[in-house]
Amino acid sequence: MTSATITTPVKAPVATRRHEPVITPAATLEPLWVRIVLTTIALAFLTLFLFVPLAAVFSEALKKGWEVYLAAIIEADALSAIKLTLIAAAISVPLNLVFGVAAAWAIAKFEFRGKNVLLTLIDLPFSVSPVISGLIYVLLFGAQGWFGEWLREHDIKILFAVPGIVLATIFVTFPFVARELIPLMQAQGSEEEEAALVLGASGWKTFWYVTLPNIKWGLLYGVILCNARAMGEFGAVSVVSGHIRGETNTMPLQVEILYNEYNFTAAFAVASLLTLLALLTLALKTLVEWRTNENRQVPQE
């Protein structure tokens, strides 16, 4: 009796299957009704808490006509508030620009003792109430403060004057530029700077021709945020200003005073200027974000 060996033919893999793309469902793909509901909720939230208040500001400002609106804008105290707001921003933003670039360069490119302490101090204004920061300057430069007697003897005014407002504005705004640049410069590394130094470039030329072009959009983004906070700051400036009309009132403080006096049209007129500045800042911020994303998508040679 002989046994026969039974062999099962093995099918060869289909060659065409090897080249077929593997289609996997998107992890975030949701049914159409879910997307419609979420979009509707987001738009309703924006309408209720953003668009309606913005429309109300301009509606109240123009309620009595353009003549009343312009009269409220060109009123002496309003012009003084606008001027002081621009002065505080014009001084604090460039100083924070210099500090932010220096701090980000030091933290991202070098290793040194106290690096984590410096990072913590940069974040300090984010965790401290602006009112508390204003009180700190009162304790330092007030009549009963640490330097109050010396300042009085030398006839130097810090509080209830422009210097105090500028100092308070600098304190609450100095993290913005640094915090925008630090992660950007850390992600870029230091290879290009090292190559430039090896090729004989000086430190200044390395910064100007290598570092700055790589961070220019992030730098501009931080400056825009810093400027927006400087012009809209209320808490710290309110403590150190003294609320002297025509002298130490910025635009947010002028709005508060006019509103408390039931001069609603003038209050909303000044508020509309702040709103326009905010919208302009938002437009610049969006433009910078678009340019930044566009530059990231450009393939490197």
Side-chain angles (χ1 to χ4, degrees), residues 20-38:
E20 293 179 357
V22 179
I23 301 175
T24 57
T28 58
L29 185 62
E30 299 291 346
L32 179 61
W33 70 269
V34 174
R35 284 177 282 171
I36 293 176
V37 169
L38 293 177

Side-chain angles (χ1 to χ4, degrees), residues 65-86:
W66 282 98
E67 292 183 359
V68 178
Y69 176 83
L70 294 176
I73 295 298
I74 63 175
E75 194 263 336
D77 291 344
L79 290 177
S80 175
I82 295 171
K83 179 181 177 181
L84 183 57
T85 301
L86 296 178

Side-chain angles (χ1 to χ4, degrees), residues 22 32 60 167 188 242 247 250 266 268 274 290:
V22 179
L32 179 61
E60 289 293 329
L167 287 174
Q188 291 176 349
E247 295 185 19
T250 57
F268 280 104
L274 280 174
W290 174 73

Side-chain angles (χ1 to χ4, degrees), residues 254-301:
Q254 182 71 8
V255 171
E256 182 199 28
I257 288 178
L258 293 173
Y259 191 85
N260 290 336
E261 294 176 349
Y262 301 101
N263 191 353
F264 299 128
T265 301
F268 280 104
V270 179
S272 68
L273 289 181
L274 280 174
T275 305
L276 288 174
L277 291 173
L279 293 175
L280 177 61
T281 301
L282 181 63
L284 292 174
K285 172 178 171 290
T286 304
L287 176 62
V288 171
E289 288 179 340
W290 174 73
R291 289 298 302 270
T292 302
N293 293 332
E294 188 180 58
N295 290 339
R296 288 175 180 172
Q297 292 174 1
V298 174
Q300 300 294 329
E301 295 294 339

Side-chain angles (χ1 to χ4, degrees), residues 76-221:
D77 291 344
L79 290 177
S80 175
I82 295 171
K83 179 181 177 181
L84 183 57
T85 301
L86 296 178
I87 289 174
I91 296 175
S92 60
V93 172
L95 291 177
N96 284 325
L97 169 64
V98 175
F99 167 79
V101 172
W105 200 0
I107 292 172
K109 305 298 182 180
F110 303 101
E111 294 294 333
F112 55 91
R113 290 184 178 180
K115 184 175 180 178
N116 292 330
V117 176
L118 179 57
L119 279 169
T120 302
L121 292 177
I122 290 174
D123 291 335
L124 186 62
F126 287 147
S127 58
V128 175
S129 169
V131 175
I132 301 301
S133 64
L135 289 175
I136 292 173
Y137 287 108
V138 173
L139 292 175
L140 290 176
F141 306 118
Q144 307 300 323
W146 291 2
F147 307 108
E149 184 176 351
W150 183 88
L151 292 172
R152 186 169 57 253
E153 291 175 355
H154 293 79
D155 195 23
I156 300 175
K157 291 192 67 176
I158 301 294
L159 291 182
F160 313 138
V162 176
I165 295 173
V166 172
L167 287 174
T169 304
I170 290 173
F171 180 85
V172 299
T173 57
F174 82 83
F176 287 95
V177 176
R179 263 304 170 191
E180 188 63 32
L181 291 181
I182 288 172
L184 176 61
M185 297 178 73
Q186 286 177 333
Q188 291 176 349
S190 58
E191 289 81 5
E192 293 185 11
E193 285 85 354
E194 293 173 354
L197 293 174
V198 169
L199 293 174
S202 62
W204 173 251
K205 286 187 176 181
T206 300
F207 170 77
W208 189 257
Y209 293 105
V210 178
T211 305
L212 188 58
N214 290 334
I215 65 171
K216 60 181 179 181
W217 293 113
L219 180 61
L220 181 58
Y221 187 82

